[in-house]
Amino acid sequence: MKDKSFTFEQIHIEVARNASDDFNLFHDKHKWLQVTHNPFKGPIVLGFQLNTLIEYQMRLYREAHHEDQIIADNQLRFSNYQIIFVNALRPRQEMTLDIKKTLIATIPELTLTNRIAIKSQGKTILLGYKKETKQPLFLADTDLSGLPDLNALPDKTVVPGTEFFLKRKWMNNGNVKNFLSGSFAEQSDYFDELLQVAQYPEVFPCSLTSGALLEKAQLENHDFKRNPMVYTSHDISVDRVHLATLKNNDKLHILVKQLPESPDKTLNHTSIMLRTYECFGVLENKAVLFRIKLNLVPLEEIIKNLSGKT
């Protein structure tokens, strides 16, 4: 695909962060200045905002190449995003999205794969893959069937007998439309009130995980100004069958589990230990809507590492 270019304005960031309840200081047009040693020199675009841009452009790509038919015919119910964040993207900074030609593999089972890259001003912003599969590519082995009734538990508490923090959210069509618009996705391709069409996009429910992580950190008295964290990767698997059932006011339980940090899991070619979270979106009927593995690192560690190289 020929590279498509986009330029986010600050209003796109405002809309996306408000729609997903993301109160990270990095995206705030005033509070970014309060982040200690903030190297970004201004607010930055949300990671899930870039993922939604990728989701929409991949949707257009699949339709143009009649690959949506292959997905439907072969019941490839899982949409997977494997994203590595390399640099931050600022508003008013033109960027290009490149989608490479689809590779179709049949072994071990049918998979459609596209390599993706976003670049700006000669720098890579993110790299990754979009894959369509029959099984989730991430956290497929986690069995949530033994959980207690999440509907009966208080919001923002630990699920008894587990390491999961629970954050409860409700789906809202207005928020979804805003998030789509803030991510350069055409909302009318998903929602049409006159035709009574309301098809939820894949990444939006996942984007609510950021707010859940922030609320968890807030309860743990994390200092967002002195010790901000930045995403290094998103691994996302969304179940399209369950997604198709989503509608306005549906309840979504977001489960977040922090894994122990380990010297074996570090940011590539550095000694910076990754903080890994396993996150799940569970619907009221216990269906698992999404599975996400997120990696974060303290900004301070990245700056230290960079200054050591200069």
Side-chain angles (χ1 to χ4, degrees), residues 77 171-173 191 197-202 205 238-252 281-290:
R77 69 186 278 176
M171 293 297 103
N172 176 287
N173 287 1
F191 293 91
V197 171
Q199 177 203 353
Y200 267 57
E202 297 167 0
V238 181
D239 189 324
R240 273 189 273 253
V241 173
H242 296 322
L243 183 75
T245 69
L246 261 197
K247 57 190 187 306
N248 201 38
N249 290 329
D250 273 2
K251 193 188 290 184
L252 177 68
V282 182
L283 301 180
E284 199 162 358
N285 63 0
K286 288 196 162 187
V288 180
L289 175 63
F290 65 73

Side-chain angles (χ1 to χ4, degrees), residues 39-58:
F40 303 133
K41 299 181 177 61
I44 59 173
V45 177
L46 284 70
F48 282 108
Q49 205 174 356
L50 293 173
N51 290 349
T52 298
L53 172 69
I54 290 166
E55 171 188 350
Y56 183 62
Q57 291 302 319
M58 280 302 312

Side-chain angles (χ1 to χ4, degrees), residues 200-220:
Y200 267 57
E202 297 167 0
V203 171
F204 175 76
C206 305
S207 76
L208 302 174
T209 320
S210 277
L213 286 180
L214 290 164
E215 291 202 47
K216 179 179 184 293
Q218 200 169 33
L219 288 172
E220 294 163 356

